[in-house]
């Protein structure tokens, strides 16, 4: 999809101008959401390395996953400049003169080298807001890291398998777009100096910590109610695939028990917390094809979702 054919899903941020210098995933993902809310979004990228076609992206995402880059930047105007040169700085400042929110994703030391320190920008562009995405908050912003290390630091990496998606990056992008909305709201408050911008820092490790709360509460650990202890909430093998079972609420659990032929529960007994029930459901689903499970789900209004092996 190109910029001319892009249509936002709402006009909530119509008239808001966002400039991003953020590369890779969290920043562009936040920019994608802001564009979808109707903001006028511009991305300022570094000049591409020597040897690349003129106009080619220098964003790592565009080099190793061009299809993802294309989706992230639909509706975004991409321009290029070398911010380490006077010409590049002049281009940056010209863009900032008509920008409501600047989005960055560099470490503080890199921001300083690129002339993007908040105190200096705020003095020169008082109405400008800034949202800075970093790895860790405060002094930890200089420590190198990535999605995987932030998830590991918060107990979200189990065994030797990689997580199914880039949870910290994507959660951080949500928090960054939220911070943009917060900054715009704060700037518009009557008690503030008219049009005076604010700066917010979004830490990916904090985003991972937020996602990890259910695990720290004990909900998703192996003995937790949604971590394996409740027979009605888990993954079971069937004859030609797998089924995700989410019969957690009592009425769903009771209906699943009836369909699977489980014995009626005694007063005050929750048979879904019994290992015998897990064994029973394991044997029950093992006899069924995905098509049969789908039919059971539709007929009995059960939250079951079949998957390939």
């Amino acid at each position: 999809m190109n910029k001319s054919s892009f249509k936002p899903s709402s006009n909530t941020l119509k008239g808001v101008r966002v400039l991003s210098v953020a590369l890779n995933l969290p920043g562009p993902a936040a920019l994608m959401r802001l564009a979808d809310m109707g903001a006028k979004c511009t991305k300022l990228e570094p000049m591409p390395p020597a040897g690349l076609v003129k106009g080619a992206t220098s964003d790592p995402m565009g080099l190793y996953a061009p299809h993802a880059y294309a989706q992230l930047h639909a509706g975004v105007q991409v321009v290029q400049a070398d911010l380490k040169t006077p010409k590049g700085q002049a281009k940056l400042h010209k863009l900032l003169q008509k920008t409501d929110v600047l989005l960055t994703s560099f470490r503080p030391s890199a921001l300083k080298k690129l002339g993007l320190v908040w105190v200096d920008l705020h003095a020169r562009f008082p109405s400008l807001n800034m949202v800075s995405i970093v790895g860790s908050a405060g002094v930890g912003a200089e420590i190198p890291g990535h999605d995987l290390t932030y998830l590991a630091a918060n107990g979200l990496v189990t065994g030797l398998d990689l997580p199914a998606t880039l949870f910290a990056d994507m959660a951080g992008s949500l928090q960054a777009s939220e911070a943009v909305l917060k900054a715009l709201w704060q700037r518009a408050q009557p008690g503030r100096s008219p049009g005076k911008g604010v700066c917010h820092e979004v830490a990916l490790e904090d985003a991972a910590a937020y996602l990890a709360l259910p695990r720290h509460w004990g909900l998703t650990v192996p003995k937790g109610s949604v971590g394996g202890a409740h027979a009605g909430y888990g993954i079971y093998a069937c004859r030609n695939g797998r089924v995700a079972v989410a019969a957690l609420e009592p009425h769903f659990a009771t209906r699943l028990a009836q369909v699977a032929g489980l014995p009626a529960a005694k007063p005050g007994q929750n048979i879904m917390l019994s290992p015998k029930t897990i064994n029973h459901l394991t044997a029950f689903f093992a006899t069924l094809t995905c098509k049969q499970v789908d039919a059971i789900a539709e007929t009995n209004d059960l939250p079951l979702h079949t998957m390939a092996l």
Side-chain angles (χ1 to χ4, degrees):
M1 180 185 293
N2 57 42
K3 187 176 185 296
S4 61
S5 63
F6 173 81
K7 290 185 179 180
S9 64
S10 77
N11 289 319
T12 305
L13 295 182
K14 185 177 181 179
V16 173
R17 297 157 300 184
V18 180
L19 174 65
S20 174
V21 294
L23 304 176
N24 218 331
L25 182 55
L31 196 64
M32 176 177 67
R33 293 185 62 81
L34 296 170
D36 190 51
M37 286 186 272
K40 183 179 180 180
C41 296
T42 301
K43 169 109 170 287
L44 178 60
E45 296 183 351
M47 299 299 291
L52 290 184
V53 177
K54 183 178 180 181
T57 179
S58 55
D59 189 318
M61 180 68 75
L63 301 177
Y64 63 75
H67 57 294
Y69 177 89
Q71 184 173 351
L72 287 165
H73 294 82
V76 175
Q77 180 182 12
V78 178
V79 297
Q80 296 177 333
D82 183 354
L83 297 184
K84 298 178 182 178
T85 67
K87 184 179 179 180
Q89 284 291 311
K91 188 169 186 176
L92 169 67
H93 293 156
K94 185 177 180 180
L95 288 169
L96 288 175
Q97 287 173 2
K98 49 185 179 181
T99 294
D100 294 297
V101 184
L102 172 65
L103 186 63
T104 73
S105 64
F106 297 107
R107 288 190 277 182
S109 56
L111 289 177
K112 186 175 182 180
K113 292 177 182 177
L114 298 174
L116 294 170
V117 175
W118 167 245
V119 174
D120 298 334
L121 290 175
H122 187 48
R124 185 163 185 170
F125 307 100
S127 65
L128 177 69
N129 293 297
M130 181 172 174
V131 173
S132 180
I133 301 173
V134 296
S136 300
V139 295
E142 285 293 344
I143 300 174
H146 220 303
D147 182 277
L148 185 60
T149 57
Y150 305 134
L151 294 179
N154 285 280
L156 294 178
V157 178
T158 57
L160 297 177
D161 292 332
L162 290 170
T165 190
L166 301 172
F167 290 104
D169 282 354
M170 296 309 289
S173 76
L174 291 175
Q175 292 191 347
S177 57
E178 180 183 82
V180 169
L181 300 178
K182 186 191 300 183
L184 291 169
W185 183 86
Q186 288 176 305
R187 191 180 66 172
Q189 292 311 293
R192 297 188 62 84
S193 299
K196 194 170 185 180
V198 297
C199 179
H200 289 292
E201 182 181 83
V202 173
L204 298 178
E205 187 164 359
D206 289 347
Y210 180 75
L211 293 182
L213 285 175
R215 191 162 188 84
H216 294 320
W217 293 333
L219 299 178
T220 62
V221 297
K223 293 183 179 180
S225 56
V226 290
H230 192 287
Y233 196 92
I235 310 296
Y236 293 90
C238 49
R239 282 173 57 187
N240 61 340
R242 299 168 294 157
V243 54
V245 179
L248 194 60
E249 292 84 350
H251 63 286
F252 285 138
T254 299
R255 204 173 303 153
L256 175 63
Q258 293 170 345
V259 169
L262 283 160
K266 297 177 182 178
Q269 180 188 28
N270 187 347
I271 61 172
M272 287 295 165
L273 296 180
S274 168
K276 291 183 179 180
T277 301
I278 295 177
N279 293 336
H280 184 102
L281 291 178
T282 298
F284 171 72
F285 284 114
T287 67
L288 303 172
T289 65
C290 288
K291 187 174 181 180
Q292 289 174 319
V293 173
D294 291 338
I296 289 173
E298 183 176 356
T299 302
N300 297 277
D301 188 32
L302 281 168
L304 312 176
H305 184 85
T306 54
M307 303 171 286
L309 289 172

